Amino acid sequence: MDWVQREIELPRFGKGFHPITRHIVEALPELRQFQRGLLHVFLQHTSASLTINESADPDVAADLDRLLDHLVPEGFRYVHTVEGADDMPGHGKCSILGCSVLIPVRNGRLALGTWQGIFLCEHRRHNSGRRIVLTLFGQKASE
């Protein structure tokens, strides 16, 4: 079993759902060497999240952001407010979606479905940037 682990900083994004599959694949050139395995993507923050969803139509990402705003609104009477009106809703949205995804690897590629992509779900209007840990493990192709 072979392992690769790398921490990367994503570009700073505004609030919304942002496709990051390309950033992940570019950060892992070793991916092409893996016959089969798994890629674990872990976000080191608690007011943003990760998800896999349709990446072909950007309207899906916009609608998902609006849906979460409806489910976890800023106007709720939160106790934790010291970091701004969008902070506690960000924590709530992260708890709903989660801070990691696990993707199968097959023949040197992420085995995502035809329309699937990995998204950073940025729940705050202002943030200091986001870091993710990529852990790739599996069997490399025979040489």
Side-chain angles (χ1 to χ4, degrees):
M1 185 83 59
D2 290 293
W3 293 80
V4 175
Q5 189 172 75
R6 184 158 298 124
E7 186 175 316
I8 65 169
E9 187 162 344
L10 294 171
R12 188 174 292 177
F13 293 110
K15 185 180 175 308
F17 281 52
H18 306 280
I20 61 168
T21 308
R22 176 182 58 86
H23 298 282
I24 291 168
V25 171
E26 288 175 358
L28 286 172
E30 302 91 342
L31 179 65
R32 293 185 294 274
Q33 301 169 7
F34 281 76
Q35 180 67 29
R36 64 180 148 257
L38 294 168
L39 174 63
H40 184 255
V41 182
F42 178 78
L43 178 66
Q44 296 180 308
H45 302 274
T46 60
S47 59
S49 53
L50 296 172
T51 193
I52 295 174
N53 215 300
E54 180 181 329
S55 63
D57 183 351
D59 288 345
V60 172
D63 283 344
L64 288 170
D65 189 44
R66 289 178 44 234
L67 175 63
L68 279 179
D69 285 345
H70 177 75
L71 294 173
V72 188
E74 284 188 24
F76 189 78
R77 294 176 55 183
Y78 299 105
V79 175
H80 174 76
T81 58
V82 69
E83 295 180 62
D86 63 349
D87 185 52
M88 189 58 217
H91 294 306
K93 294 169 185 179
C94 176
S95 289
I96 290 170
L97 292 177
C99 60
S100 68
V101 293
L102 186 64
I103 303 118
V105 172
R106 185 180 337 127
N107 299 324
R109 299 176 53 140
L110 300 179
L112 292 166
T114 302
W115 308 113
Q116 289 181 321
I118 306 164
F119 288 83
L120 170 71
C121 312
E122 180 53 67
H123 305 306
R124 306 229 30 213
R125 288 180 293 282
H126 306 286
N127 63 75
S128 58
R130 304 299 187 179
R131 297 190 68 79
I132 57 176
V133 177
L134 306 172
T135 304
L136 174 62
F137 54 100
Q139 181 181 25
K140 288 187 176 180
S142 300
E143 319 233 304

